[in-house]
Amino acid sequence: MPHHPDRLTPASPHVWALTVKEMTILYGTARAVDAVSLQVAPGEVVALLGPSGCGKSTLLRGVAGLEPLAGGSVSWDGADLAGVATHRRGFGLMFQDGQLFPHMTVGANVAFGLRMAGMGRTARRAAADAWLALVGLDGYADRDVATLSGGEAQRVALARALAPRPRLLLLDEPLSALDADLRVELAGVVRGALTSAGTGALWVTHDAAEAAAADRVLRMAGGRLVADPRGDGGAASPRSALR
């Protein structure tokens, strides 16, 4: 799978879109996320790589506004998101199980966010068809969700997450339920769709092969980021981060 180390190499904090500063999240007295800082540039794909229980999914939920912060901040383009509800942050979410609506067709699932945004029926259908084609499911719009394989369901979930054009996509172990070969294949599909859409992402995974699809890979352990070997705010290349 190709790497993209030169696609975005931010040289200044002024170009960061997402900034997480000293984020701390507590579960009781335990520090699930312990003073973590990271940044994502516009259109950049950053992977958070680490074992189960290291705090990476909790961090992602903190960025989304789904977990309260005990300390630190999350900002977008310099604007603090404290007090901004999850649905008003402009971020897309994609989870391990896809969370498709079983009573809707594939096309209706993809078009759901567009319908909520007030897009007309004809335009929604055309947009859903286009996004399905982008993830390799051309002609699937009228299919029943129950007929999909696991990989197909995750492609639909990806199309649905990207259709409203989020300013950042948050991916929480989106491929972990799939077998190894399919994970590698779909990691390329996810990366290609993000690139085509021009959408940046924060991508949580425990799989190094999956993480290699990102522009940068940051490791987490024990609620903290492993020290960045370049010391420049998390701009390590995939190759250096995966050693």
Side-chain angles (χ1 to χ4, degrees):
M1 182 177 300
H3 295 291
H4 312 271
D6 58 350
R7 181 169 170 267
L8 282 167
T9 51
S12 153
H14 300 296
V15 301
W16 301 117
L18 175 74
T19 298
V20 175
K21 185 175 181 181
E22 298 292 315
M23 178 192 283
T24 298
I25 297 176
L26 302 178
Y27 286 163
T29 59
R31 290 178 173 257
V33 178
D34 189 4
V36 170
S37 296
L38 61 84
Q39 295 157 310
V40 179
E44 186 182 26
V45 178
V46 175
L48 280 175
L49 176 65
S52 296
C54 72
K56 59 190 185 299
S57 292
T58 303
L59 186 152
L60 198 76
R61 290 174 61 83
V63 171
L66 295 170
E67 291 284 355
L69 306 190
S73 63
V74 177
S75 61
W76 181 265
D77 198 20
D80 194 337
L81 297 181
V84 179
T86 298
H87 68 282
R88 296 190 179 279
R89 295 193 177 199
F91 301 157
L93 299 169
M94 182 178 171
F95 300 102
Q96 176 180 336
D97 60 3
Q99 299 186 353
L100 299 180
F101 302 121
H103 61 287
M104 294 182 181
T105 64
V106 166
N109 265 275
V110 175
F112 179 77
L114 304 177
R115 180 163 66 88
M116 293 297 99
M119 182 180 286
R121 182 187 299 270
T122 301
R124 289 200 310 267
R125 175 60 189 247
D129 287 345
W131 284 109
L132 286 169
L134 183 67
V135 299
L137 295 180
D138 194 14
Y140 274 58
D142 294 323
R143 286 188 56 170
D144 190 318
V145 167
T147 68
L148 301 176
S149 68
E152 289 169 343
Q154 287 305 84
R155 289 176 189 243
V156 174
L158 174 63
R160 184 179 65 181
L162 288 173
R165 297 279 186 178
R167 54 189 185 179
L168 183 74
L169 186 58
L170 305 175
L171 302 118
D172 190 5
E173 298 275 11
L175 309 178
S176 63
L178 307 176
D179 64 55
D181 289 342
L182 189 54
R183 280 202 305 273
V184 172
E185 177 187 342
L186 286 190
V189 171
V190 172
R191 177 60 209 232
L194 289 168
T195 300
S196 296
T199 302
L202 191 57
W203 185 339
V204 162
T205 180
H206 66 275
D207 186 334
E210 185 180 321
D215 295 305
R216 290 189 290 129
V217 181
L218 304 178
R219 285 187 176 272
M220 281 195 74
R224 297 182 177 184
L225 285 185
V226 174
D228 177 3
R230 286 175 47 171
D232 60 357
S237 72
R239 292 184 187 278
S240 63
L242 290 171
R243 285 180 188 141

